[in-house]
Amino acid sequence: MHYPVIIVGGGITGIGILRDLSMRGIRALLIEQKDLAYGASSRFHGLLHSGARYVVGDPGAGAECIAENKILRQIAPHAVELTEGFFVRLAQDPEEYEERWVKACADVGLDAKPIGAKEALRLEPNMAPDIRSAYIVPDSAVDGFRIVWQNAASAKQYGGELRNYTELAAVHTANGAVKGITVRSTISGATEEIGCDFIINAAGSWAGQVAHLAGVDVHVTPSRGLLLGFNHRFTDRIVNRLRKPGDGDIFVPHGSITIFGTTSKNVERPDDHAVPPEECLELLKMGKLMFPDIESYRILRGFAGTRPLYSPSGSAGRDATRNFVVLDHEKDGLQGMASIVGGKFTTYRLMAERMSDLVAARFSNTTPCRTAKEPLTPDASLLYRYRAMQVSPSMGVDLAISRQGERFKELVETLEQSPDKRALLCECELVTRAECEMIAAEPTTHFISDIRRRTRMGMGTCQASFCAFRSVGALFQAGMLKDNKPASLLKQFIEERWSGIRPMLWGSQIKEIELNRGIYGAL
């Protein structure tokens, strides 16, 4: 088997590159050691940056963010919520920084509108009453899982191929050029050799390890960021502290919940997703300055991801640039390989375009990039929206459209033909049995958690208390996922949720766990 291009890394950057290359007619295969969006592409606060956070310290990154923000609003409406954002200066924050920030926003063409503190508190009454100033910026919220899978669906339509749970085991070279790779299934352990002409290293925090397999050096420092998810939406707008970027200064509303963070701690392992309780408590102390009642809100879970910071100059943590770089390893003596590191989720499309431009030139492909103009997923017709409302909760129709895209029509027809499949397996995220079975039938689905990343099943208020046993029972009744025993699937799903709940077992969270203990102890 041979592919012109192999992409290593199934985060937003890798899947964006797969879509771009496929739209240009370049055959490509993407491999990912876990599931798509396993790493930083889902383990972040879900902020679609306006760029305002970076305009003072990194104006280049700020300018890129505002440009890509406008594009993603157009091509990914089902994954983006137009919340707008506030930048708010507290009494503890220096007035001098505010003056520099206002000028820097104007310099990059970012519209930051000042509003009075009184008006800001009218719009967001849960904020601290002693705020000094506030500005409105075009921040938005973005669903990382959803936009990754929408890119994957679009890439497949153009012939792109992907394999999850497939890790890179070796890179084969001859005469200073890439010839192929060996891959290993992380489920069965089976290995396979695949020929290729070009390798794209888009492995995020794992980029250094991937480069090492090819005998080249890429200096990436994983920086762990911790976040807390609350069970209700106590702000309708994204709220940022107007100060030099630091820990605990962003609140992002997502659907019915709020995500708060983040921290920046350099770590050795790319998969260091630890959630230390003491860091959770420290975050809460910081958040209380902006939202005084934050300690009374129920925390759903804590979670963490690692940023892939590229810092050849020695900068680290928040001092490292949030810009990205494309590294052509031909300059290191290896033809047919390039790495892309750094950057932000917000700029993934631009990153993919730059990498795809380099690869297209190597293959003498002159097809222009179209990813800034073509929507990721088509909108559903009014007829199918209406038909869906007759057989499923009306509030869940837009969610199903955003999750299924082209297959929404198929989902509606299944619901019409099979009334028993209309049952809700997940009441928090309104996931029907039909949708769960549809995703379970795909070759990329091996575990219940794979369905979670496609639908958000188990990520709502109950944190899988009810949808776990419902989904396992329904899928085995339908004869699906038989490679795993029901008990092992159930355990894996519940323990994954438990890992984020365990660090904050206090208050109402203890009641939730006692409920889970009763349910699953009995089962």
Side-chain angles (χ1 to χ4, degrees), residues 361-422:
R362 297 295 169 85
F363 288 92
S364 301
N365 183 301
T366 58
T367 305
C369 175
R370 306 197 311 276
T371 58
K373 298 179 180 179
E374 186 170 316
L376 286 173
T377 184
D379 204 356
S381 68
L382 290 176
L383 173 61
Y384 270 86
R385 282 178 176 271
Y386 174 78
R387 287 170 60 175
M389 290 181 185
Q390 311 311 305
V391 292
S392 64
S394 58
M395 292 180 62
V397 171
D398 282 335
L399 291 174
I401 292 170
S402 67
R403 294 189 293 244
Q404 292 301 324
E406 291 278 1
R407 300 191 69 189
F408 176 70
K409 178 179 177 181
E410 176 187 343
L411 174 63
V412 173
E413 292 171 349
T414 299
L415 290 169
E416 290 175 334
Q417 297 165 10
S418 305
D420 61 309
K421 296 185 185 299
R422 300 173 190 173

Side-chain angles (χ1 to χ4, degrees), residues 504-517:
M504 58 256 333
L505 279 182
W506 60 75
S508 57
Q509 197 68 289
I510 294 179
K511 298 178 183 179
E512 178 75 17
I513 287 303
E514 280 298 286
L515 173 63
N516 276 17
R517 198 161 68 93

Side-chain angles (χ1 to χ4, degrees), residues 257-492:
I257 72 168
T258 304
I259 296 176
F260 164 53
T262 178
T263 59
S264 183
K265 181 180 178 62
N266 289 348
V267 292
E268 294 184 1
R269 297 192 345 266
D271 60 347
D272 186 340
H273 299 152
V275 183
E278 62 274 15
E279 290 187 24
C280 297
L281 291 170
E282 189 63 28
L283 266 182
L284 285 172
K285 187 185 300 183
M286 298 174 191
K288 192 174 182 179
L289 297 174
M290 181 68 76
F291 288 92
D293 294 331
I294 192 172
E295 291 180 344
S296 67
Y297 305 147
R298 180 186 160 209
I299 304 175
L300 282 178
R301 65 187 294 104
F303 63 99
T306 58
R307 309 172 185 87
L309 299 183
Y310 178 65
S311 51
S313 64
S315 298
R318 296 195 184 278
D319 292 327
T321 180
R322 268 23 179 197
N323 219 321
F324 68 89
V325 60
V326 174
L327 304 171
D328 186 349
H329 295 303
E330 187 170 341
K331 298 175 182 177
D332 302 317
L334 179 62
Q335 294 183 6
M337 184 171 179
S339 298
I340 185 162
V341 289
K344 299 291 298 178
F345 189 102
T346 300
T347 59
Y348 89 87
R349 192 214 60 83
L350 177 63
M351 296 168 68
E353 180 178 347
R354 295 280 173 81
M355 176 58 83
S356 297
D357 284 345
L358 184 153
V359 175
R362 297 295 169 85
F363 288 92
S364 301
N365 183 301
T366 58
T367 305
C369 175
R370 306 197 311 276
T371 58
K373 298 179 180 179
E374 186 170 316
L376 286 173
T377 184
D379 204 356
S381 68
L382 290 176
L383 173 61
Y384 270 86
R385 282 178 176 271
Y386 174 78
R387 287 170 60 175
M389 290 181 185
Q390 311 311 305
V391 292
S392 64
S394 58
M395 292 180 62
V397 171
D398 282 335
L399 291 174
I401 292 170
S402 67
R403 294 189 293 244
Q404 292 301 324
E406 291 278 1
R407 300 191 69 189
F408 176 70
K409 178 179 177 181
E410 176 187 343
L411 174 63
V412 173
E413 292 171 349
T414 299
L415 290 169
E416 290 175 334
Q417 297 165 10
S418 305
D420 61 309
K421 296 185 185 299
R422 300 173 190 173
L424 288 177
L425 298 185
C426 177
E427 296 171 3
C428 298
E429 299 295 333
L430 302 177
V431 181
T432 61
R433 179 171 179 167
E435 187 174 6
C436 187
E437 290 183 7
M438 181 181 291
I439 295 172
E442 295 183 4
T444 53
T445 302
H446 302 275
F447 306 101
I448 304 297
S449 292
D450 298 339
I451 301 173
R452 174 183 66 82
R453 281 180 280 270
R454 294 286 300 276
T455 64
R456 300 189 72 87
M457 181 177 73
M459 296 177 66
T461 301
C462 82
Q463 288 289 291
S465 295
F466 302 103
C467 60
F469 67 80
R470 289 173 181 166
S471 58
V472 171
L475 292 176
F476 269 82
Q477 189 177 54
M480 309 178 94
L481 300 186
K482 283 194 171 181
D483 288 343
N484 294 284
K485 295 180 180 179
S488 63
L489 280 176
L490 195 61
K491 181 178 180 181
Q492 188 267 349

Side-chain angles (χ1 to χ4, degrees), residues 490-504:
L490 195 61
K491 181 178 180 181
Q492 188 267 349
F493 192 25
I494 290 296
E495 287 191 346
E496 187 180 63
R497 298 289 85 197
W498 166 246
S499 66
I501 296 170
R502 182 177 184 177
M504 58 256 333

